[in-house]
Amino acid sequence: MRKKDGSFYKESVVKTMWNVTAKLERKNIVKISAMDPFNDVRFKSARGARDAARKILQMNPEKRKESSSAFTYKVLQILKLYDENKPGGLQKKIFHPISYELAFRGGEAANCLTDFFQEEKFNDRTSTNRIEYNIVFSKTCQGATDNKWLIRNTTNEDICPVRLYKKLLSKRGSNVKTNRLFLTPNREWQNNNIWFKNIPVGRNEIAKWTKLSVQKAGLDSVKFKFTNHSHRATAVNHLAKVGVNENQLTKLTGHGNVSSIKPYLQLDKEFHEEIIRKMRNSENNEFSVSSVSTSASSNVVSDQQQASTGSIINFNNCVFNCKNFNN
């Protein structure tokens, strides 16, 4: 199926259109031809042929859909690339930690609003140094989601997401009317002290931030696919390595099923080396195969020596007198 501009629809779109149309016309088709398209053998065989062709395409590396790669280094290396005393540097410096610690999806940063964040306070109205994040804080959002928090980094204040978020809000002048979090930097900010325009950063521009950052950090962006979704994959990988269970991971990522986070779990070389090291250390315990075989061989030798001397050999359930065999 072609669009008006001559391009083809995606396969998923065509599939959805076909299913919706078939369901709407199902009753009419059954009445006219007495044939159910969802149970007819010819339709099932056609779908089977389509699925077989799809599997063949998935086996082809050039046609396979490539998922976003997780970072093999800490986010701190990216944060050192940017100067928070500049509009563009400040936005990118806070973009990476909140995308990582809140496990943002690829396009979540582009849709992020200041309304999604609320400073948490005690009963006496003093700050808890935590920023609560939830999309339901926006009046236009419907449906409940789990809360997440930006936590103060007491060990490294320079990359503290709470501090950076508050600084970003303080630089939004009175000219800013939009509630989008990331805004277009003002080139004349040094002259008029207006850091940002009342224009959100474009989605395509934000989509490039991670890829450009990893290139500056020296990572191979040709061999590996790095996108804004890589922050989400990195968060899941790091949490899985330190022992966070799958049910807790789904609370952070927002998945409804634990099986949905399995594509994010990528086995890198450092994690694999740690697994092999644990496997080799297990060989040194007292229940290893080598120790059991050694003890078994020593028992055989002692038994043979006792038999040659004509001594009595004791077993668990019986006693043999070797002198009788010698006679």
Side-chain angles (χ1 to χ4, degrees):
M1 296 180 64
R2 292 178 179 269
K3 300 180 182 178
K4 292 182 179 180
D5 58 359
S7 60
F8 288 93
Y9 284 100
K10 293 183 179 179
E11 181 183 359
S12 59
V13 177
V14 177
K15 180 180 178 181
T16 302
M17 294 170 62
W18 186 91
N19 287 335
V20 172
T21 304
K23 289 179 181 179
L24 293 175
E25 298 295 332
R26 183 174 183 175
K27 295 181 180 179
N28 296 331
I29 294 175
V30 172
K31 290 180 180 179
I32 296 173
S33 61
M35 183 269 292
D36 189 347
F38 288 90
N39 296 321
D40 189 80
V41 177
R42 291 171 294 177
F43 279 86
K44 288 185 178 180
S45 61
R47 289 196 296 269
R50 181 203 61 192
D51 294 338
R54 180 185 293 129
K55 291 182 179 180
I56 294 175
L57 289 175
Q58 290 176 347
M59 294 174 62
N60 186 355
E62 297 180 356
K63 300 294 183 180
R64 188 183 305 141
K65 183 179 179 180
E66 185 180 5
S67 59
S68 299
S69 301
F71 302 132
T72 55
Y73 65 97
K74 296 181 179 179
V75 184
L76 177 62
Q77 293 180 251
I78 298 182
L79 300 183
K80 294 180 179 179
L81 301 173
Y82 300 107
D83 183 7
E84 65 180 75
N85 295 319
K86 297 180 180 180
L90 176 60
Q91 288 197 128
K92 292 178 182 177
K93 191 171 184 177
I94 190 178
F95 160 77
H96 292 293
I98 67 173
S99 297
Y100 170 71
E101 296 185 4
L102 299 180
F104 271 2
R105 293 177 173 86
E108 195 165 351
N111 300 323
C112 189
L113 307 177
T114 56
D115 297 342
F116 296 168
F117 297 88
Q118 287 187 4
E119 185 176 2
E120 189 180 61
K121 295 183 179 181
F122 293 111
N123 292 335
D124 59 357
R125 309 307 299 168
T126 58
S127 177
T128 63
N129 290 322
R130 290 194 298 264
I131 306 294
E132 192 173 2
Y133 173 83
N134 199 323
I135 60 176
V136 299
F137 293 155
S138 175
K139 297 180 180 179
T140 59
C141 178
Q142 296 180 356
T145 60
D146 293 326
N147 292 347
K148 303 177 186 179
W149 287 269
L150 294 178
I151 310 299
R152 181 183 176 186
N153 191 337
T154 57
T155 58
N156 194 341
E157 192 70 20
D158 181 62
I159 61 172
C160 176
V162 176
R163 183 189 65 83
L164 292 173
Y165 174 78
K166 291 182 178 180
K167 183 174 181 178
L168 182 63
L169 290 186
S170 65
K171 297 299 182 181
R172 296 167 66 96
S174 58
N175 64 308
V176 176
K177 305 301 181 183
T178 178
N179 57 354
R180 288 277 293 274
L181 180 62
F182 297 106
L183 304 174
T184 303
N186 182 20
R187 296 182 179 180
E188 304 295 331
W189 65 276
Q190 291 180 322
N191 298 330
N192 53 22
N193 200 27
I194 298 177
W195 279 46
F196 302 104
K197 299 179 181 179
N198 189 31
I199 304 174
V201 180
R203 299 175 183 271
N204 295 335
E205 178 64 23
I206 296 180
K208 302 176 184 177
W209 282 3
T210 300
K211 184 176 181 179
L212 295 177
S213 298
V214 298
Q215 289 177 350
K216 291 182 179 180
L219 272 74
D220 189 356
S221 60
V222 177
K223 182 179 179 180
F224 301 98
K225 181 182 178 180
F226 294 113
T227 65
N228 289 350
H229 208 77
S230 297
H231 290 284
R232 188 175 176 85
T234 305
V236 174
N237 271 274
H238 287 181
L239 292 175
K241 290 178 184 179
V242 298
V244 178
N245 61 50
E246 293 179 344
N247 292 326
Q248 291 175 320
L249 285 176
T250 56
K251 290 294 182 180
L252 177 66
T253 60
H255 288 110
N257 196 327
V258 294
S259 61
S260 302
I261 66 174
K262 292 182 178 179
Y264 294 97
L265 300 176
Q266 302 171 9
L267 185 65
D268 55 37
K269 60 182 180 181
E270 289 82 5
F271 192 28
H272 188 244
E273 287 179 2
E274 182 64 22
I275 294 175
I276 296 300
R277 194 175 298 110
K278 291 181 180 180
M279 293 171 61
R280 291 173 179 172
N281 290 338
S282 66
E283 297 176 359
N284 299 326
N285 59 33
E286 58 182 355
F287 300 103
S288 63
V289 177
S290 59
S291 63
V292 174
S293 60
T294 303
S295 61
S297 60
S298 63
N299 291 335
V300 173
V301 173
S302 62
D303 293 344
Q304 292 176 350
Q305 291 176 351
Q306 292 177 359
S308 62
T309 57
S311 60
I312 297 176
I313 303 176
N314 294 320
F315 289 86
N316 292 334
N317 299 324
C318 57
V319 177
F320 290 94
N321 191 340
C322 297
K323 293 181 179 180
N324 296 333
F325 293 101
N326 293 332
N327 295 332

